[in-house]
Amino acid sequence: MALTAIALCSRALLKIGATGIASFDEGTAEAEVAANLYPSLRDAMLSSHPWNFATAQSALPRLAAVPAADFANAFQLPPGFLRALSAGAGSSGRGLRYRIHERRLHAGASAVTLTYVFRPDEEAFPAFFDQALIMRLAAEFCLPLTESTSRAELLHKLAEEEIRRARLIDAQEDTPAAIEDFSLIEARR
């Protein structure tokens, strides 16, 4: 079942014994804490790992303005961009030297394909990520709402376990990484 931002926050609030919310604007302490902490926690969780459901590739549009130094071209980052994973030229999504500067990608190539982490809609989050995010939210919501440091510490430990579990599940949705282009492997042939 796809969860909204409100549903994710409500479930996290229920885990700490607080009242769930129906809106970020309802004027309760729970709604205020959720509204202030949720966006940055969501983006931090998404950026922390190259989740398969939040990873994309895009050919970037080149900008007319050129970088002041080091690279010949600047490119517009895609909407919802959170973190670059790699960049390539042509049909390759990696192997290109680049730098993210002033919310633009700078590179020497005339065309860039970027592999990146983006911010999907909450309804696109898989169940394993929902659970990890709910636990992380509960850990972060705990201190401002309950003022219990020991409970917050326990929830942070549980959240780390849930995040580790989510990463393992996510890793099983992809081909295992292999060592490529390593000179010692080539020397053995």
Short mmCIF file of all heavy atoms in Angstrom, two decimals, residues 117-185:
data_model
loop_
_atom_site.label_atom_id
_atom_site.label_comp_id
_atom_site.label_asym_id
_atom_site.label_seq_id
_atom_site.Cartn_x
_atom_site.Cartn_y
_atom_site.Cartn_z
N VAL A 117 20.64 10.27 -7.89
CA VAL A 117 19.55 9.98 -6.96
C VAL A 117 18.59 11.16 -7.02
O VAL A 117 19.02 12.31 -6.97
CB VAL A 117 20.07 9.78 -5.52
CG1 VAL A 117 18.93 9.61 -4.53
CG2 VAL A 117 21.03 8.60 -5.46
N PHE A 118 17.30 10.86 -7.15
CA PHE A 118 16.29 11.89 -7.21
C PHE A 118 15.25 11.69 -6.11
O PHE A 118 15.26 10.68 -5.42
CB PHE A 118 15.60 11.92 -8.59
CG PHE A 118 14.73 10.72 -8.85
CD1 PHE A 118 13.35 10.78 -8.66
CD2 PHE A 118 15.27 9.53 -9.30
CE1 PHE A 118 12.55 9.68 -8.91
CE2 PHE A 118 14.48 8.43 -9.55
CZ PHE A 118 13.11 8.49 -9.35
N ARG A 119 14.36 12.66 -5.94
CA ARG A 119 13.30 12.61 -4.94
C ARG A 119 12.01 12.13 -5.60
O ARG A 119 11.30 12.90 -6.22
CB ARG A 119 13.07 13.99 -4.33
CG ARG A 119 12.01 14.03 -3.25
CD ARG A 119 11.72 15.45 -2.76
NE ARG A 119 12.92 16.18 -2.40
CZ ARG A 119 13.43 17.22 -3.08
NH1 ARG A 119 12.86 17.66 -4.16
NH2 ARG A 119 14.53 17.83 -2.66
N PRO A 120 11.68 10.82 -5.46
CA PRO A 120 10.40 10.34 -6.02
C PRO A 120 9.24 10.73 -5.11
O PRO A 120 9.43 11.12 -3.96
CB PRO A 120 10.59 8.81 -6.04
CG PRO A 120 11.56 8.53 -4.96
CD PRO A 120 12.45 9.75 -4.85
N ASP A 121 8.04 10.61 -5.63
CA ASP A 121 6.85 10.81 -4.80
C ASP A 121 6.81 9.72 -3.74
O ASP A 121 7.23 8.58 -3.99
CB ASP A 121 5.58 10.74 -5.64
CG ASP A 121 5.45 11.91 -6.60
OD1 ASP A 121 5.99 12.99 -6.29
OD2 ASP A 121 4.81 11.73 -7.65
N GLU A 122 6.29 10.05 -2.57
CA GLU A 122 6.21 9.08 -1.47
C GLU A 122 5.46 7.82 -1.88
O GLU A 122 5.79 6.72 -1.41
CB GLU A 122 5.54 9.71 -0.25
CG GLU A 122 6.43 10.61 0.55
CD GLU A 122 6.59 12.02 0.00
OE1 GLU A 122 5.98 12.34 -1.05
OE2 GLU A 122 7.34 12.80 0.60
N GLU A 123 4.49 7.94 -2.75
CA GLU A 123 3.71 6.77 -3.17
C GLU A 123 4.57 5.76 -3.94
O GLU A 123 4.18 4.61 -4.09
CB GLU A 123 2.51 7.20 -4.02
CG GLU A 123 1.43 7.92 -3.24
CD GLU A 123 1.71 9.41 -3.02
OE1 GLU A 123 2.63 9.97 -3.66
OE2 GLU A 123 1.02 10.01 -2.18
N ALA A 124 5.73 6.19 -4.43
CA ALA A 124 6.63 5.30 -5.17
C ALA A 124 7.62 4.58 -4.25
O ALA A 124 8.35 3.70 -4.70
CB ALA A 124 7.40 6.09 -6.22
N PHE A 125 7.64 4.92 -2.96
CA PHE A 125 8.56 4.26 -2.04
C PHE A 125 8.13 2.81 -1.86
O PHE A 125 6.97 2.53 -1.59
CB PHE A 125 8.55 4.93 -0.66
CG PHE A 125 9.07 6.34 -0.60
CD1 PHE A 125 8.91 7.07 0.56
CD2 PHE A 125 9.72 6.94 -1.66
CE1 PHE A 125 9.38 8.38 0.66
CE2 PHE A 125 10.20 8.24 -1.58
CZ PHE A 125 10.03 8.96 -0.42
N PRO A 126 9.08 1.86 -1.94
CA PRO A 126 8.73 0.47 -1.65
C PRO A 126 8.52 0.28 -0.14
O PRO A 126 8.97 1.09 0.68
CB PRO A 126 9.95 -0.32 -2.14
CG PRO A 126 11.06 0.66 -2.20
CD PRO A 126 10.46 2.02 -2.38
N ALA A 127 7.86 -0.79 0.22
CA ALA A 127 7.51 -1.05 1.63
C ALA A 127 8.75 -1.09 2.52
O ALA A 127 8.71 -0.59 3.65
CB ALA A 127 6.71 -2.34 1.73
N PHE A 128 9.84 -1.68 2.04
CA PHE A 128 11.04 -1.76 2.89
C PHE A 128 11.61 -0.38 3.20
O PHE A 128 12.12 -0.14 4.28
CB PHE A 128 12.11 -2.69 2.28
CG PHE A 128 12.67 -2.25 0.95
CD1 PHE A 128 13.71 -1.33 0.88
CD2 PHE A 128 12.18 -2.78 -0.23
CE1 PHE A 128 14.23 -0.94 -0.35
CE2 PHE A 128 12.70 -2.39 -1.46
CZ PHE A 128 13.73 -1.46 -1.51
N PHE A 129 11.51 0.55 2.26
CA PHE A 129 11.98 1.92 2.51
C PHE A 129 11.01 2.66 3.43
O PHE A 129 11.44 3.41 4.31
CB PHE A 129 12.17 2.68 1.19
CG PHE A 129 12.77 4.05 1.39
CD1 PHE A 129 14.13 4.20 1.57
CD2 PHE A 129 11.97 5.18 1.42
CE1 PHE A 129 14.70 5.46 1.77
CE2 PHE A 129 12.52 6.44 1.61
CZ PHE A 129 13.88 6.58 1.78
N ASP A 130 9.71 2.43 3.23
CA ASP A 130 8.71 3.03 4.13
C ASP A 130 9.03 2.70 5.58
O ASP A 130 9.03 3.58 6.44
CB ASP A 130 7.31 2.52 3.81
CG ASP A 130 6.67 3.16 2.59
OD1 ASP A 130 7.18 4.20 2.12
OD2 ASP A 130 5.66 2.61 2.11
N GLN A 131 9.29 1.42 5.84
CA GLN A 131 9.54 1.00 7.22
C GLN A 131 10.81 1.63 7.79
O GLN A 131 10.84 2.05 8.95
CB GLN A 131 9.62 -0.53 7.31
CG GLN A 131 8.30 -1.21 7.04
CD GLN A 131 7.18 -0.64 7.89
OE1 GLN A 131 7.27 -0.56 9.11
NE2 GLN A 131 6.11 -0.22 7.25
N ALA A 132 11.86 1.71 6.98
CA ALA A 132 13.10 2.34 7.44
C ALA A 132 12.89 3.82 7.70
O ALA A 132 13.36 4.36 8.71
CB ALA A 132 14.21 2.12 6.40
N LEU A 133 12.18 4.49 6.82
CA LEU A 133 11.92 5.92 6.99
C LEU A 133 11.03 6.17 8.21
O LEU A 133 11.28 7.11 8.97
CB LEU A 133 11.28 6.50 5.72
CG LEU A 133 10.98 8.00 5.73
CD1 LEU A 133 12.23 8.82 6.02
CD2 LEU A 133 10.36 8.41 4.40
N ILE A 134 10.03 5.35 8.41
CA ILE A 134 9.15 5.50 9.58
C ILE A 134 9.96 5.38 10.86
O ILE A 134 9.81 6.18 11.79
CB ILE A 134 8.00 4.48 9.53
CG1 ILE A 134 7.00 4.87 8.44
CG2 ILE A 134 7.30 4.36 10.89
CD1 ILE A 134 6.00 3.78 8.09
N MET A 135 10.85 4.40 10.92
CA MET A 135 11.68 4.24 12.13
C MET A 135 12.61 5.42 12.32
O MET A 135 12.81 5.88 13.45
CB MET A 135 12.48 2.94 12.06
CG MET A 135 11.67 1.69 12.34
SD MET A 135 10.77 1.74 13.91
CE MET A 135 12.08 1.88 15.09
N ARG A 136 13.20 5.93 11.24
CA ARG A 136 14.08 7.09 11.35
C ARG A 136 13.30 8.32 11.80
O ARG A 136 13.77 9.10 12.64
CB ARG A 136 14.77 7.33 10.01
CG ARG A 136 15.67 8.54 9.98
CD ARG A 136 16.93 8.32 10.84
NE ARG A 136 17.61 9.57 11.09
CZ ARG A 136 18.47 10.14 10.27
NH1 ARG A 136 18.79 9.56 9.13
NH2 ARG A 136 19.03 11.28 10.58
N LEU A 137 12.10 8.49 11.26
CA LEU A 137 11.26 9.61 11.67
C LEU A 137 10.89 9.50 13.14
O LEU A 137 10.94 10.48 13.88
CB LEU A 137 9.99 9.67 10.81
CG LEU A 137 10.16 10.09 9.36
CD1 LEU A 137 8.89 9.82 8.57
CD2 LEU A 137 10.58 11.54 9.24
N ALA A 138 10.52 8.30 13.58
CA ALA A 138 10.17 8.09 14.98
C ALA A 138 11.34 8.45 15.89
O ALA A 138 11.16 9.11 16.92
CB ALA A 138 9.73 6.64 15.22
N ALA A 139 12.53 8.06 15.50
CA ALA A 139 13.73 8.37 16.30
C ALA A 139 13.95 9.87 16.39
O ALA A 139 14.28 10.39 17.46
CB ALA A 139 14.96 7.68 15.70
N GLU A 140 13.76 10.57 15.29
CA GLU A 140 13.97 12.01 15.27
C GLU A 140 12.83 12.79 15.93
O GLU A 140 13.05 13.83 16.53
CB GLU A 140 14.16 12.51 13.83
CG GLU A 140 15.42 12.00 13.17
CD GLU A 140 16.69 12.51 13.81
OE1 GLU A 140 16.71 13.63 14.36
OE2 GLU A 140 17.70 11.78 13.74
N PHE A 141 11.61 12.28 15.83
CA PHE A 141 10.46 12.94 16.45
C PHE A 141 10.44 12.74 17.97
O PHE A 141 9.83 13.52 18.69
CB PHE A 141 9.14 12.39 15.90
CG PHE A 141 8.84 12.70 14.46
CD1 PHE A 141 7.74 12.13 13.84
CD2 PHE A 141 9.63 13.56 13.71
CE1 PHE A 141 7.43 12.41 12.52
CE2 PHE A 141 9.33 13.84 12.38
CZ PHE A 141 8.22 13.26 11.78
N CYS A 142 11.08 11.69 18.44
CA CYS A 142 10.97 11.30 19.84
C CYS A 142 11.44 12.38 20.81
O CYS A 142 10.70 12.73 21.75
CB CYS A 142 11.76 10.01 20.08
SG CYS A 142 11.57 9.35 21.75
N LEU A 143 12.61 12.91 20.63
CA LEU A 143 13.15 13.87 21.60
C LEU A 143 12.32 15.15 21.70
O LEU A 143 11.95 15.56 22.80
CB LEU A 143 14.61 14.18 21.29
CG LEU A 143 15.37 14.90 22.39
CD1 LEU A 143 15.33 14.13 23.71
CD2 LEU A 143 16.80 15.12 21.97
N PRO A 144 11.96 15.79 20.58
CA PRO A 144 11.17 17.02 20.73
C PRO A 144 9.77 16.79 21.29
O PRO A 144 9.21 17.69 21.91
CB PRO A 144 11.10 17.60 19.32
CG PRO A 144 11.66 16.62 18.40
CD PRO A 144 12.35 15.56 19.20
N LEU A 145 9.23 15.59 21.10
CA LEU A 145 7.86 15.36 21.57
C LEU A 145 7.77 14.68 22.92
O LEU A 145 6.80 14.89 23.66
CB LEU A 145 7.08 14.55 20.52
CG LEU A 145 6.79 15.28 19.22
CD1 LEU A 145 6.20 14.34 18.19
CD2 LEU A 145 5.87 16.47 19.45
N THR A 146 8.75 13.83 23.27
CA THR A 146 8.68 13.09 24.53
C THR A 146 9.75 13.52 25.53
O THR A 146 9.65 13.19 26.71
CB THR A 146 8.83 11.58 24.30
OG1 THR A 146 10.16 11.30 23.87
CG2 THR A 146 7.82 11.06 23.30
N GLU A 147 10.79 14.20 25.05
CA GLU A 147 11.92 14.62 25.88
C GLU A 147 12.61 13.45 26.58
O GLU A 147 13.25 13.61 27.61
CB GLU A 147 11.49 15.68 26.89
CG GLU A 147 10.98 16.95 26.24
CD GLU A 147 10.57 18.01 27.24
OE1 GLU A 147 10.75 17.82 28.46
OE2 GLU A 147 10.08 19.06 26.78
N SER A 148 12.52 12.27 25.98
CA SER A 148 13.16 11.07 26.54
C SER A 148 14.38 10.72 25.70
O SER A 148 14.25 10.17 24.61
CB SER A 148 12.17 9.90 26.55
OG SER A 148 12.83 8.71 26.92
N THR A 149 15.57 11.02 26.24
CA THR A 149 16.80 10.73 25.50
C THR A 149 17.06 9.24 25.39
O THR A 149 17.53 8.77 24.35
CB THR A 149 18.01 11.43 26.14
OG1 THR A 149 18.10 11.05 27.50
CG2 THR A 149 17.91 12.93 26.01
N SER A 150 16.76 8.48 26.43
CA SER A 150 17.00 7.04 26.38
C SER A 150 16.10 6.37 25.34
O SER A 150 16.54 5.49 24.60
CB SER A 150 16.79 6.40 27.75
OG SER A 150 15.47 6.60 28.21
N ARG A 151 14.87 6.81 25.26
CA ARG A 151 13.94 6.27 24.26
C ARG A 151 14.39 6.67 22.85
O ARG A 151 14.33 5.86 21.94
CB ARG A 151 12.55 6.82 24.56
CG ARG A 151 11.44 6.12 23.89
CD ARG A 151 10.17 6.58 24.56
NE ARG A 151 9.03 6.16 23.83
CZ ARG A 151 7.83 6.64 24.01
NH1 ARG A 151 7.62 7.57 24.92
NH2 ARG A 151 6.82 6.20 23.31
N ALA A 152 14.85 7.91 22.70
CA ALA A 152 15.34 8.38 21.40
C ALA A 152 16.57 7.57 20.96
O ALA A 152 16.68 7.20 19.79
CB ALA A 152 15.65 9.87 21.45
N GLU A 153 17.47 7.28 21.89
CA GLU A 153 18.66 6.49 21.57
C GLU A 153 18.28 5.09 21.12
O GLU A 153 18.83 4.56 20.16
CB GLU A 153 19.60 6.42 22.77
CG GLU A 153 20.32 7.71 23.05
CD GLU A 153 21.13 7.67 24.34
OE1 GLU A 153 21.30 6.59 24.94
OE2 GLU A 153 21.61 8.75 24.76
N LEU A 154 17.33 4.47 21.81
CA LEU A 154 16.87 3.14 21.43
C LEU A 154 16.24 3.18 20.03
O LEU A 154 16.52 2.31 19.20
CB LEU A 154 15.86 2.60 22.45
CG LEU A 154 15.19 1.28 22.07
CD1 LEU A 154 16.21 0.16 21.97
CD2 LEU A 154 14.10 0.94 23.06
N LEU A 155 15.42 4.18 19.76
CA LEU A 155 14.79 4.30 18.45
C LEU A 155 15.82 4.53 17.35
O LEU A 155 15.66 4.02 16.24
CB LEU A 155 13.75 5.41 18.46
CG LEU A 155 12.44 5.08 19.21
CD1 LEU A 155 11.60 6.32 19.40
CD2 LEU A 155 11.67 3.99 18.47
N HIS A 156 16.89 5.27 17.64
CA HIS A 156 17.95 5.46 16.65
C HIS A 156 18.64 4.13 16.33
O HIS A 156 18.93 3.86 15.16
CB HIS A 156 18.98 6.49 17.12
CG HIS A 156 18.58 7.90 16.83
ND1 HIS A 156 18.64 8.45 15.57
CD2 HIS A 156 18.10 8.88 17.62
CE1 HIS A 156 18.23 9.69 15.60
NE2 HIS A 156 17.89 9.98 16.84
N LYS A 157 18.87 3.30 17.33
CA LYS A 157 19.47 1.99 17.09
C LYS A 157 18.55 1.12 16.25
O LYS A 157 18.99 0.44 15.32
CB LYS A 157 19.80 1.30 18.42
CG LYS A 157 20.97 1.91 19.13
CD LYS A 157 21.24 1.22 20.45
CE LYS A 157 22.34 1.95 21.19
NZ LYS A 157 22.52 1.47 22.55
N LEU A 158 17.26 1.13 16.60
CA LEU A 158 16.29 0.34 15.82
C LEU A 158 16.19 0.87 14.39
O LEU A 158 16.06 0.08 13.44
CB LEU A 158 14.92 0.38 16.50
CG LEU A 158 14.83 -0.31 17.86
CD1 LEU A 158 13.48 -0.06 18.50
CD2 LEU A 158 15.10 -1.81 17.72
N ALA A 159 16.27 2.18 14.23
CA ALA A 159 16.21 2.78 12.89
C ALA A 159 17.42 2.35 12.06
O ALA A 159 17.28 2.02 10.88
CB ALA A 159 16.14 4.30 12.98
N GLU A 160 18.60 2.33 12.66
CA GLU A 160 19.80 1.91 11.94
C GLU A 160 19.68 0.45 11.48
O GLU A 160 20.10 0.11 10.37
CB GLU A 160 21.05 2.11 12.79
CG GLU A 160 21.46 3.56 12.92
CD GLU A 160 21.66 4.26 11.58
OE1 GLU A 160 22.31 3.69 10.68
OE2 GLU A 160 21.13 5.38 11.43
N GLU A 161 19.11 -0.41 12.32
CA GLU A 161 18.89 -1.80 11.93
C GLU A 161 17.92 -1.90 10.76
O GLU A 161 18.12 -2.67 9.82
CB GLU A 161 18.36 -2.61 13.12
CG GLU A 161 19.38 -2.85 14.20
CD GLU A 161 18.78 -3.55 15.42
OE1 GLU A 161 17.71 -4.19 15.30
OE2 GLU A 161 19.39 -3.45 16.50
N GLU A 162 16.86 -1.10 10.81
CA GLU A 162 15.86 -1.11 9.75
C GLU A 162 16.44 -0.56 8.44
O GLU A 162 16.16 -1.08 7.36
CB GLU A 162 14.64 -0.29 10.17
CG GLU A 162 13.40 -0.57 9.37
CD GLU A 162 12.85 -1.97 9.53
OE1 GLU A 162 12.78 -2.48 10.66
OE2 GLU A 162 12.48 -2.57 8.49
N ILE A 163 17.28 0.45 8.53
CA ILE A 163 17.93 1.01 7.34
C ILE A 163 18.89 -0.01 6.74
O ILE A 163 18.95 -0.19 5.52
CB ILE A 163 18.66 2.34 7.69
CG1 ILE A 163 17.63 3.43 8.02
CG2 ILE A 163 19.58 2.77 6.56
CD1 ILE A 163 18.23 4.65 8.70
N ARG A 164 19.64 -0.71 7.59
CA ARG A 164 20.55 -1.76 7.12
C ARG A 164 19.76 -2.85 6.39
O ARG A 164 20.15 -3.32 5.32
CB ARG A 164 21.32 -2.33 8.31
CG ARG A 164 22.59 -3.01 7.97
CD ARG A 164 23.47 -3.40 9.16
NE ARG A 164 22.96 -3.23 10.50
CZ ARG A 164 23.18 -2.17 11.28
NH1 ARG A 164 23.90 -1.18 10.84
NH2 ARG A 164 22.70 -2.12 12.51
N ARG A 165 18.63 -3.24 6.95
CA ARG A 165 17.78 -4.27 6.33
C ARG A 165 17.25 -3.77 4.98
O ARG A 165 17.25 -4.51 4.00
CB ARG A 165 16.61 -4.60 7.26
CG ARG A 165 15.75 -5.76 6.80
CD ARG A 165 14.68 -6.15 7.80
NE ARG A 165 15.24 -6.49 9.10
CZ ARG A 165 15.00 -5.82 10.24
NH1 ARG A 165 14.22 -4.78 10.24
NH2 ARG A 165 15.56 -6.21 11.36
N ALA A 166 16.84 -2.52 4.91
CA ALA A 166 16.33 -1.95 3.66
C ALA A 166 17.42 -1.92 2.59
O ALA A 166 17.15 -2.22 1.42
CB ALA A 166 15.78 -0.54 3.91
N ARG A 167 18.64 -1.58 2.98
CA ARG A 167 19.74 -1.56 2.02
C ARG A 167 20.03 -2.96 1.47
O ARG A 167 20.33 -3.13 0.29
CB ARG A 167 20.99 -0.98 2.65
CG ARG A 167 20.92 0.51 2.82
CD ARG A 167 22.17 1.07 3.45
NE ARG A 167 22.09 2.52 3.51
CZ ARG A 167 22.97 3.27 4.12
NH1 ARG A 167 24.01 2.73 4.72
NH2 ARG A 167 22.82 4.57 4.13
N LEU A 168 19.95 -3.96 2.33
CA LEU A 168 20.16 -5.34 1.87
C LEU A 168 19.09 -5.76 0.87
O LEU A 168 19.39 -6.38 -0.14
CB LEU A 168 20.17 -6.30 3.07
CG LEU A 168 21.42 -6.26 3.94
CD1 LEU A 168 21.22 -7.10 5.20
CD2 LEU A 168 22.63 -6.76 3.17
N ILE A 169 17.85 -5.43 1.16
CA ILE A 169 16.76 -5.77 0.24
C ILE A 169 16.97 -5.04 -1.08
O ILE A 169 16.84 -5.63 -2.15
CB ILE A 169 15.39 -5.43 0.87
CG1 ILE A 169 15.12 -6.34 2.05
CG2 ILE A 169 14.28 -5.55 -0.17
CD1 ILE A 169 13.93 -5.93 2.91
N ASP A 170 17.29 -3.76 -1.01
CA ASP A 170 17.51 -2.96 -2.22
C ASP A 170 18.66 -3.54 -3.04
O ASP A 170 18.58 -3.57 -4.27
CB ASP A 170 17.79 -1.51 -1.84
CG ASP A 170 17.85 -0.61 -3.04
OD1 ASP A 170 16.80 -0.41 -3.68
OD2 ASP A 170 18.95 -0.09 -3.34
N ALA A 171 19.72 -3.99 -2.39
CA ALA A 171 20.88 -4.55 -3.10
C ALA A 171 20.53 -5.82 -3.86
O ALA A 171 21.16 -6.14 -4.87
CB ALA A 171 22.01 -4.82 -2.12
N GLN A 172 19.51 -6.53 -3.40
CA GLN A 172 19.11 -7.77 -4.07
C GLN A 172 18.32 -7.51 -5.35
O GLN A 172 18.03 -8.43 -6.10
CB GLN A 172 18.30 -8.64 -3.12
CG GLN A 172 19.11 -9.16 -1.97
CD GLN A 172 18.28 -9.84 -0.90
OE1 GLN A 172 17.07 -9.83 -0.94
NE2 GLN A 172 18.95 -10.44 0.06
N GLU A 173 17.99 -6.25 -5.62
CA GLU A 173 17.25 -5.90 -6.82
C GLU A 173 18.17 -5.47 -7.96
O GLU A 173 17.73 -4.87 -8.92
CB GLU A 173 16.26 -4.76 -6.52
CG GLU A 173 15.16 -5.17 -5.57
CD GLU A 173 14.17 -4.04 -5.30
OE1 GLU A 173 14.50 -2.87 -5.57
OE2 GLU A 173 13.07 -4.35 -4.84
N ASP A 174 19.46 -5.76 -7.83
CA ASP A 174 20.43 -5.31 -8.81
C ASP A 174 21.49 -6.39 -8.98
O ASP A 174 21.70 -7.22 -8.09
CB ASP A 174 21.08 -4.00 -8.32
CG ASP A 174 21.74 -3.20 -9.41
OD1 ASP A 174 21.77 -3.66 -10.57
OD2 ASP A 174 22.25 -2.11 -9.09
N THR A 175 22.20 -6.36 -10.09
CA THR A 175 23.31 -7.27 -10.31
C THR A 175 24.43 -6.91 -9.33
O THR A 175 24.73 -5.72 -9.17
CB THR A 175 23.84 -7.13 -11.75
OG1 THR A 175 22.76 -7.36 -12.65
CG2 THR A 175 24.97 -8.10 -12.02
N PRO A 176 25.03 -7.89 -8.68
CA PRO A 176 26.12 -7.57 -7.75
C PRO A 176 27.25 -6.82 -8.46
O PRO A 176 27.57 -7.10 -9.61
CB PRO A 176 26.60 -8.94 -7.25
CG PRO A 176 25.46 -9.86 -7.50
CD PRO A 176 24.75 -9.33 -8.70
N ALA A 177 27.83 -5.88 -7.74
CA ALA A 177 28.93 -5.09 -8.30
C ALA A 177 30.15 -5.97 -8.54
O ALA A 177 30.46 -6.85 -7.74
CB ALA A 177 29.29 -3.95 -7.36
N ALA A 178 30.83 -5.73 -9.63
CA ALA A 178 32.05 -6.47 -9.97
C ALA A 178 33.18 -5.47 -10.18
O ALA A 178 32.95 -4.33 -10.55
CB ALA A 178 31.83 -7.28 -11.25
N ILE A 179 34.38 -5.93 -9.95
CA ILE A 179 35.54 -5.08 -10.17
C ILE A 179 35.79 -5.03 -11.67
O ILE A 179 35.93 -6.06 -12.34
CB ILE A 179 36.78 -5.63 -9.44
CG1 ILE A 179 36.54 -5.62 -7.93
CG2 ILE A 179 38.01 -4.82 -9.80
CD1 ILE A 179 37.62 -6.28 -7.13
N GLU A 180 35.83 -3.81 -12.20
CA GLU A 180 36.07 -3.62 -13.63
C GLU A 180 37.25 -2.69 -13.82
O GLU A 180 37.55 -1.87 -12.96
CB GLU A 180 34.84 -2.98 -14.28
CG GLU A 180 33.59 -3.82 -14.18
CD GLU A 180 32.38 -3.11 -14.75
OE1 GLU A 180 32.56 -2.15 -15.52
OE2 GLU A 180 31.28 -3.50 -14.41
N ASP A 181 37.90 -2.80 -14.95
CA ASP A 181 38.99 -1.91 -15.31
C ASP A 181 40.06 -1.82 -14.23
O ASP A 181 40.49 -0.74 -13.85
CB ASP A 181 38.46 -0.50 -15.63
CG ASP A 181 37.43 -0.52 -16.74
OD1 ASP A 181 37.57 -1.35 -17.64
OD2 ASP A 181 36.49 0.29 -16.68
N PHE A 182 40.49 -2.95 -13.73
CA PHE A 182 41.50 -2.99 -12.68
C PHE A 182 42.77 -3.58 -13.29
O PHE A 182 42.76 -4.67 -13.84
CB PHE A 182 40.99 -3.82 -11.51
CG PHE A 182 41.87 -3.80 -10.30
CD1 PHE A 182 42.21 -2.60 -9.70
CD2 PHE A 182 42.36 -4.96 -9.74
CE1 PHE A 182 43.01 -2.56 -8.57
CE2 PHE A 182 43.15 -4.96 -8.62
CZ PHE A 182 43.50 -3.74 -8.03
N SER A 183 43.87 -2.87 -13.19
CA SER A 183 45.10 -3.24 -13.89
C SER A 183 45.63 -4.62 -13.48
O SER A 183 46.21 -5.31 -14.31
CB SER A 183 46.16 -2.17 -13.67
OG SER A 183 46.42 -2.02 -12.28
N LEU A 184 45.49 -5.03 -12.24
CA LEU A 184 45.99 -6.33 -11.82
C LEU A 184 45.21 -7.47 -12.46
O LEU A 184 45.78 -8.54 -12.75
CB LEU A 184 45.95 -6.46 -10.30
CG LEU A 184 46.92 -5.54 -9.53
CD1 LEU A 184 46.75 -5.73 -8.03
CD2 LEU A 184 48.36 -5.79 -9.95
N ILE A 185 43.94 -7.28 -12.72
CA ILE A 185 43.15 -8.31 -13.40
C ILE A 185 43.64 -8.44 -14.83
O ILE A 185 43.79 -9.54 -15.37
CB ILE A 185 41.65 -7.98 -13.34
CG1 ILE A 185 41.14 -8.12 -11.90
CG2 ILE A 185 40.85 -8.90 -14.27
CD1 ILE A 185 39.71 -7.69 -11.70
#
